[in-house]
Short mmCIF file of all heavy atoms in Angstrom, two decimals:
data_model
loop_
_atom_site.label_atom_id
_atom_site.label_comp_id
_atom_site.label_asym_id
_atom_site.label_seq_id
_atom_site.Cartn_x
_atom_site.Cartn_y
_atom_site.Cartn_z
N ILE A 1564 4.17 13.03 -11.53
CA ILE A 1564 2.94 12.23 -11.55
C ILE A 1564 1.72 13.11 -11.36
O ILE A 1564 0.70 13.00 -12.06
CB ILE A 1564 2.98 11.14 -10.45
CG1 ILE A 1564 4.08 10.12 -10.75
CG2 ILE A 1564 1.62 10.45 -10.33
CD1 ILE A 1564 3.86 9.28 -11.98
N LEU A 1565 1.80 14.03 -10.39
CA LEU A 1565 0.68 14.92 -10.12
C LEU A 1565 0.42 15.85 -11.30
O LEU A 1565 -0.73 16.18 -11.61
CB LEU A 1565 0.94 15.75 -8.85
CG LEU A 1565 0.88 14.97 -7.52
CD1 LEU A 1565 1.27 15.87 -6.37
CD2 LEU A 1565 -0.52 14.41 -7.30
N LYS A 1566 1.48 16.27 -11.97
CA LYS A 1566 1.33 17.14 -13.13
C LYS A 1566 0.61 16.42 -14.25
O LYS A 1566 -0.24 16.99 -14.95
CB LYS A 1566 2.71 17.63 -13.59
CG LYS A 1566 2.65 18.63 -14.74
CD LYS A 1566 4.04 19.09 -15.11
CE LYS A 1566 3.99 20.09 -16.28
NZ LYS A 1566 5.35 20.55 -16.66
N GLU A 1567 0.95 15.13 -14.44
CA GLU A 1567 0.37 14.36 -15.52
C GLU A 1567 -1.01 13.81 -15.18
O GLU A 1567 -1.89 13.75 -16.04
CB GLU A 1567 1.30 13.19 -15.88
CG GLU A 1567 2.60 13.60 -16.52
CD GLU A 1567 3.46 12.41 -16.89
OE1 GLU A 1567 3.10 11.28 -16.48
OE2 GLU A 1567 4.49 12.57 -17.54
N GLN A 1568 -1.20 13.37 -13.92
CA GLN A 1568 -2.40 12.64 -13.56
C GLN A 1568 -3.31 13.37 -12.57
O GLN A 1568 -4.44 12.94 -12.33
CB GLN A 1568 -2.02 11.28 -12.93
CG GLN A 1568 -1.14 10.43 -13.81
CD GLN A 1568 -0.79 9.10 -13.17
OE1 GLN A 1568 -1.49 8.63 -12.29
NE2 GLN A 1568 0.30 8.49 -13.60
N GLY A 1569 -2.82 14.45 -11.99
CA GLY A 1569 -3.58 15.14 -10.95
C GLY A 1569 -4.95 15.63 -11.38
O GLY A 1569 -5.88 15.68 -10.58
N GLY A 1570 -5.07 15.97 -12.66
CA GLY A 1570 -6.33 16.53 -13.15
C GLY A 1570 -7.50 15.58 -13.02
O GLY A 1570 -8.65 16.04 -12.86
N TYR A 1571 -7.25 14.29 -13.10
CA TYR A 1571 -8.34 13.32 -12.91
C TYR A 1571 -8.18 12.50 -11.63
O TYR A 1571 -9.15 12.04 -11.05
CB TYR A 1571 -8.44 12.37 -14.11
CG TYR A 1571 -7.24 11.47 -14.31
CD1 TYR A 1571 -7.12 10.28 -13.65
CD2 TYR A 1571 -6.21 11.84 -15.18
CE1 TYR A 1571 -6.02 9.45 -13.83
CE2 TYR A 1571 -5.11 11.03 -15.37
CZ TYR A 1571 -5.02 9.83 -14.69
OH TYR A 1571 -3.92 9.02 -14.87
N LEU A 1572 -6.91 12.34 -11.19
CA LEU A 1572 -6.65 11.52 -10.00
C LEU A 1572 -7.31 12.11 -8.76
O LEU A 1572 -8.03 11.43 -8.03
CB LEU A 1572 -5.15 11.37 -9.81
CG LEU A 1572 -4.63 10.40 -8.73
CD1 LEU A 1572 -3.25 9.89 -9.14
CD2 LEU A 1572 -4.55 11.07 -7.38
N ILE A 1573 -7.07 13.41 -8.52
CA ILE A 1573 -7.59 14.05 -7.31
C ILE A 1573 -9.12 14.11 -7.30
O ILE A 1573 -9.75 13.72 -6.32
CB ILE A 1573 -6.98 15.45 -7.15
CG1 ILE A 1573 -5.46 15.32 -6.90
CG2 ILE A 1573 -7.64 16.21 -6.00
CD1 ILE A 1573 -4.72 16.65 -6.87
N PRO A 1574 -9.78 14.55 -8.39
CA PRO A 1574 -11.25 14.57 -8.38
C PRO A 1574 -11.86 13.18 -8.17
O PRO A 1574 -12.86 13.04 -7.47
CB PRO A 1574 -11.61 15.12 -9.77
CG PRO A 1574 -10.43 15.92 -10.16
CD PRO A 1574 -9.25 15.18 -9.62
N CYS A 1575 -11.26 12.15 -8.78
CA CYS A 1575 -11.79 10.78 -8.63
C CYS A 1575 -11.69 10.32 -7.18
O CYS A 1575 -12.63 9.71 -6.66
CB CYS A 1575 -11.03 9.81 -9.54
SG CYS A 1575 -11.46 9.95 -11.28
N PHE A 1576 -10.58 10.62 -6.53
CA PHE A 1576 -10.43 10.24 -5.13
C PHE A 1576 -11.43 10.98 -4.25
O PHE A 1576 -12.01 10.40 -3.32
CB PHE A 1576 -9.00 10.51 -4.65
CG PHE A 1576 -8.07 9.35 -4.85
CD1 PHE A 1576 -7.24 9.28 -5.97
CD2 PHE A 1576 -8.02 8.30 -3.95
CE1 PHE A 1576 -6.39 8.22 -6.17
CE2 PHE A 1576 -7.17 7.23 -4.13
CZ PHE A 1576 -6.35 7.18 -5.25
N VAL A 1577 -11.64 12.26 -4.53
CA VAL A 1577 -12.58 13.06 -3.74
C VAL A 1577 -14.00 12.49 -3.86
O VAL A 1577 -14.71 12.31 -2.86
CB VAL A 1577 -12.56 14.54 -4.19
CG1 VAL A 1577 -13.71 15.31 -3.55
CG2 VAL A 1577 -11.23 15.18 -3.80
N VAL A 1578 -14.42 12.19 -5.09
CA VAL A 1578 -15.77 11.66 -5.32
C VAL A 1578 -15.93 10.30 -4.66
O VAL A 1578 -16.93 10.03 -3.96
CB VAL A 1578 -16.06 11.55 -6.82
CG1 VAL A 1578 -17.39 10.82 -7.06
CG2 VAL A 1578 -16.12 12.94 -7.44
N PHE A 1579 -14.94 9.41 -4.85
CA PHE A 1579 -15.04 8.07 -4.28
C PHE A 1579 -15.13 8.12 -2.77
O PHE A 1579 -15.98 7.46 -2.16
CB PHE A 1579 -13.87 7.19 -4.69
CG PHE A 1579 -13.84 5.87 -3.96
CD1 PHE A 1579 -14.74 4.87 -4.29
CD2 PHE A 1579 -12.94 5.64 -2.93
CE1 PHE A 1579 -14.75 3.65 -3.61
CE2 PHE A 1579 -12.93 4.43 -2.24
CZ PHE A 1579 -13.82 3.43 -2.58
N PHE A 1580 -14.26 8.90 -2.13
CA PHE A 1580 -14.25 8.91 -0.67
C PHE A 1580 -15.45 9.67 -0.10
O PHE A 1580 -15.80 9.45 1.07
CB PHE A 1580 -12.93 9.47 -0.15
CG PHE A 1580 -11.84 8.43 -0.13
CD1 PHE A 1580 -10.85 8.41 -1.10
CD2 PHE A 1580 -11.84 7.43 0.83
CE1 PHE A 1580 -9.87 7.43 -1.11
CE2 PHE A 1580 -10.87 6.44 0.84
CZ PHE A 1580 -9.88 6.43 -0.13
N ALA A 1581 -16.11 10.49 -0.89
CA ALA A 1581 -17.37 11.09 -0.45
C ALA A 1581 -18.41 9.98 -0.31
O ALA A 1581 -19.12 9.90 0.71
CB ALA A 1581 -17.83 12.15 -1.44
N PHE A 1582 -18.51 9.11 -1.32
CA PHE A 1582 -19.42 7.97 -1.23
C PHE A 1582 -19.01 7.02 -0.11
O PHE A 1582 -19.86 6.46 0.59
CB PHE A 1582 -19.44 7.21 -2.57
CG PHE A 1582 -20.32 7.84 -3.61
CD1 PHE A 1582 -19.77 8.53 -4.69
CD2 PHE A 1582 -21.70 7.73 -3.54
CE1 PHE A 1582 -20.58 9.11 -5.65
CE2 PHE A 1582 -22.52 8.30 -4.50
CZ PHE A 1582 -21.95 8.99 -5.57
N TYR A 1583 -17.69 6.84 0.04
CA TYR A 1583 -17.17 5.94 1.08
C TYR A 1583 -17.59 6.42 2.47
O TYR A 1583 -18.05 5.61 3.30
CB TYR A 1583 -15.65 5.89 0.97
CG TYR A 1583 -14.97 5.10 2.06
CD1 TYR A 1583 -14.91 3.71 2.03
CD2 TYR A 1583 -14.35 5.75 3.14
CE1 TYR A 1583 -14.27 2.99 3.02
CE2 TYR A 1583 -13.72 5.03 4.13
CZ TYR A 1583 -13.68 3.65 4.07
OH TYR A 1583 -13.05 2.95 5.07
N LEU A 1584 -17.47 7.72 2.74
CA LEU A 1584 -17.83 8.25 4.05
C LEU A 1584 -19.34 8.16 4.30
O LEU A 1584 -19.78 7.86 5.40
CB LEU A 1584 -17.34 9.70 4.19
CG LEU A 1584 -15.82 9.87 4.33
CD1 LEU A 1584 -15.46 11.35 4.34
CD2 LEU A 1584 -15.33 9.20 5.62
N ILE A 1585 -20.11 8.41 3.24
CA ILE A 1585 -21.57 8.27 3.37
C ILE A 1585 -21.91 6.82 3.71
O ILE A 1585 -22.77 6.55 4.56
CB ILE A 1585 -22.28 8.70 2.07
CG1 ILE A 1585 -22.13 10.20 1.86
CG2 ILE A 1585 -23.77 8.31 2.12
CD1 ILE A 1585 -22.61 10.67 0.51
N ASN A 1586 -21.22 5.89 3.05
CA ASN A 1586 -21.46 4.47 3.30
C ASN A 1586 -21.16 4.10 4.74
O ASN A 1586 -21.94 3.42 5.40
CB ASN A 1586 -20.60 3.64 2.34
CG ASN A 1586 -20.79 2.15 2.53
OD1 ASN A 1586 -20.00 1.49 3.21
ND2 ASN A 1586 -21.83 1.60 1.93
N VAL A 1587 -20.02 4.58 5.25
CA VAL A 1587 -19.63 4.28 6.63
C VAL A 1587 -20.63 4.86 7.62
O VAL A 1587 -21.09 4.18 8.55
CB VAL A 1587 -18.22 4.83 6.92
CG1 VAL A 1587 -17.89 4.69 8.41
CG2 VAL A 1587 -17.17 4.10 6.10
N ILE A 1588 -20.99 6.13 7.44
CA ILE A 1588 -21.92 6.80 8.35
C ILE A 1588 -23.28 6.12 8.36
O ILE A 1588 -23.85 5.86 9.42
CB ILE A 1588 -22.06 8.29 7.98
CG1 ILE A 1588 -20.72 9.02 8.22
CG2 ILE A 1588 -23.17 8.95 8.77
CD1 ILE A 1588 -20.67 10.42 7.65
N MET A 1589 -23.80 5.83 7.18
CA MET A 1589 -25.12 5.21 7.09
C MET A 1589 -25.11 3.78 7.62
O MET A 1589 -26.06 3.34 8.26
CB MET A 1589 -25.62 5.22 5.64
CG MET A 1589 -26.00 6.60 5.12
SD MET A 1589 -27.42 7.30 6.01
CE MET A 1589 -26.60 8.44 7.12
N LEU A 1590 -24.02 3.04 7.36
CA LEU A 1590 -23.90 1.68 7.86
C LEU A 1590 -23.94 1.68 9.39
O LEU A 1590 -24.67 0.88 10.00
CB LEU A 1590 -22.59 1.07 7.35
CG LEU A 1590 -22.27 -0.39 7.73
CD1 LEU A 1590 -21.45 -1.05 6.61
CD2 LEU A 1590 -21.50 -0.49 9.04
N ILE A 1591 -23.17 2.58 10.00
CA ILE A 1591 -23.16 2.67 11.46
C ILE A 1591 -24.53 3.04 11.98
O ILE A 1591 -25.03 2.43 12.95
CB ILE A 1591 -22.10 3.71 11.91
CG1 ILE A 1591 -20.69 3.20 11.62
CG2 ILE A 1591 -22.26 4.05 13.40
CD1 ILE A 1591 -19.60 4.23 11.87
N TYR A 1592 -25.16 4.03 11.36
CA TYR A 1592 -26.48 4.49 11.82
C TYR A 1592 -27.53 3.39 11.71
O TYR A 1592 -28.29 3.14 12.66
CB TYR A 1592 -26.91 5.69 10.97
CG TYR A 1592 -28.30 6.18 11.28
CD1 TYR A 1592 -28.55 7.00 12.39
CD2 TYR A 1592 -29.38 5.82 10.46
CE1 TYR A 1592 -29.83 7.43 12.66
CE2 TYR A 1592 -30.66 6.26 10.74
CZ TYR A 1592 -30.88 7.06 11.83
OH TYR A 1592 -32.16 7.47 12.11
N ILE A 1593 -27.57 2.71 10.56
CA ILE A 1593 -28.59 1.69 10.32
C ILE A 1593 -28.47 0.54 11.31
O ILE A 1593 -29.47 0.06 11.85
CB ILE A 1593 -28.47 1.16 8.87
CG1 ILE A 1593 -28.95 2.25 7.89
CG2 ILE A 1593 -29.27 -0.12 8.67
CD1 ILE A 1593 -28.60 1.95 6.45
N ILE A 1594 -27.24 0.11 11.56
CA ILE A 1594 -27.05 -1.02 12.48
C ILE A 1594 -27.26 -0.59 13.93
O ILE A 1594 -27.92 -1.31 14.70
CB ILE A 1594 -25.65 -1.65 12.30
CG1 ILE A 1594 -25.52 -2.22 10.88
CG2 ILE A 1594 -25.41 -2.75 13.33
CD1 ILE A 1594 -24.15 -2.76 10.56
N ALA A 1595 -26.71 0.56 14.31
CA ALA A 1595 -26.84 1.03 15.69
C ALA A 1595 -28.30 1.27 16.07
O ALA A 1595 -28.69 1.03 17.22
CB ALA A 1595 -26.02 2.31 15.89
N LYS A 1596 -29.09 1.73 15.12
CA LYS A 1596 -30.51 2.01 15.38
C LYS A 1596 -31.38 0.75 15.23
O LYS A 1596 -32.61 0.82 15.30
CB LYS A 1596 -31.02 3.09 14.43
CG LYS A 1596 -30.43 4.48 14.70
CD LYS A 1596 -30.86 5.00 16.05
CE LYS A 1596 -30.35 6.40 16.32
NZ LYS A 1596 -30.80 6.94 17.62
N LYS A 1597 -30.73 -0.39 14.99
CA LYS A 1597 -31.41 -1.69 14.90
C LYS A 1597 -32.49 -1.71 13.82
O LYS A 1597 -33.60 -2.18 14.05
CB LYS A 1597 -31.98 -2.07 16.26
CG LYS A 1597 -30.92 -2.24 17.34
CD LYS A 1597 -31.54 -2.71 18.65
CE LYS A 1597 -30.45 -2.89 19.70
NZ LYS A 1597 -31.02 -3.34 21.02
N LYS A 1598 -32.13 -1.18 12.67
CA LYS A 1598 -33.06 -1.18 11.55
C LYS A 1598 -32.92 -2.44 10.71
O LYS A 1598 -33.53 -2.56 9.64
CB LYS A 1598 -32.84 0.07 10.69
CG LYS A 1598 -33.14 1.38 11.43
CD LYS A 1598 -32.94 2.59 10.55
CE LYS A 1598 -33.26 3.86 11.30
NZ LYS A 1598 -34.69 3.97 11.66
N THR A 1599 -32.06 -3.37 11.18
CA THR A 1599 -31.85 -4.65 10.52
C THR A 1599 -31.86 -5.73 11.60
O THR A 1599 -31.87 -5.43 12.79
CB THR A 1599 -30.49 -4.68 9.79
OG1 THR A 1599 -29.45 -4.76 10.76
CG2 THR A 1599 -30.29 -3.46 8.92
N PRO A 1600 -31.84 -7.00 11.21
CA PRO A 1600 -31.78 -8.08 12.21
C PRO A 1600 -30.43 -8.16 12.94
O PRO A 1600 -30.29 -8.92 13.90
CB PRO A 1600 -32.00 -9.36 11.38
CG PRO A 1600 -32.62 -8.89 10.11
CD PRO A 1600 -32.06 -7.53 9.85
N LEU A 1601 -29.44 -7.40 12.50
CA LEU A 1601 -28.14 -7.44 13.14
C LEU A 1601 -28.19 -6.80 14.53
O LEU A 1601 -28.89 -5.80 14.72
CB LEU A 1601 -27.08 -6.71 12.28
CG LEU A 1601 -26.84 -7.25 10.88
CD1 LEU A 1601 -25.91 -6.32 10.12
CD2 LEU A 1601 -26.27 -8.66 10.94
N PRO A 1602 -27.45 -7.33 15.51
CA PRO A 1602 -27.39 -6.72 16.85
C PRO A 1602 -26.85 -5.29 16.75
O PRO A 1602 -25.96 -5.00 15.94
CB PRO A 1602 -26.42 -7.62 17.61
CG PRO A 1602 -26.39 -8.90 16.86
CD PRO A 1602 -26.63 -8.56 15.42
#
Side-chain angles (χ1 to χ4, degrees):
I1564 294 294
L1565 288 175
K1566 184 178 179 180
E1567 291 181 352
Q1568 304 180 23
Y1571 64 86
L1572 189 152
I1573 295 174
C1575 285
F1576 270 96
V1577 169
V1578 172
F1579 172 74
F1580 278 103
F1582 280 105
Y1583 174 79
L1584 288 175
I1585 292 171
N1586 180 262
V1587 172
I1588 292 169
M1589 289 296 101
L1590 182 149
I1591 291 173
Y1592 175 81
I1593 289 168
I1594 297 176
K1596 291 295 183 179
K1597 298 183 179 180
K1598 296 181 179 294
T1599 72
L1601 300 174

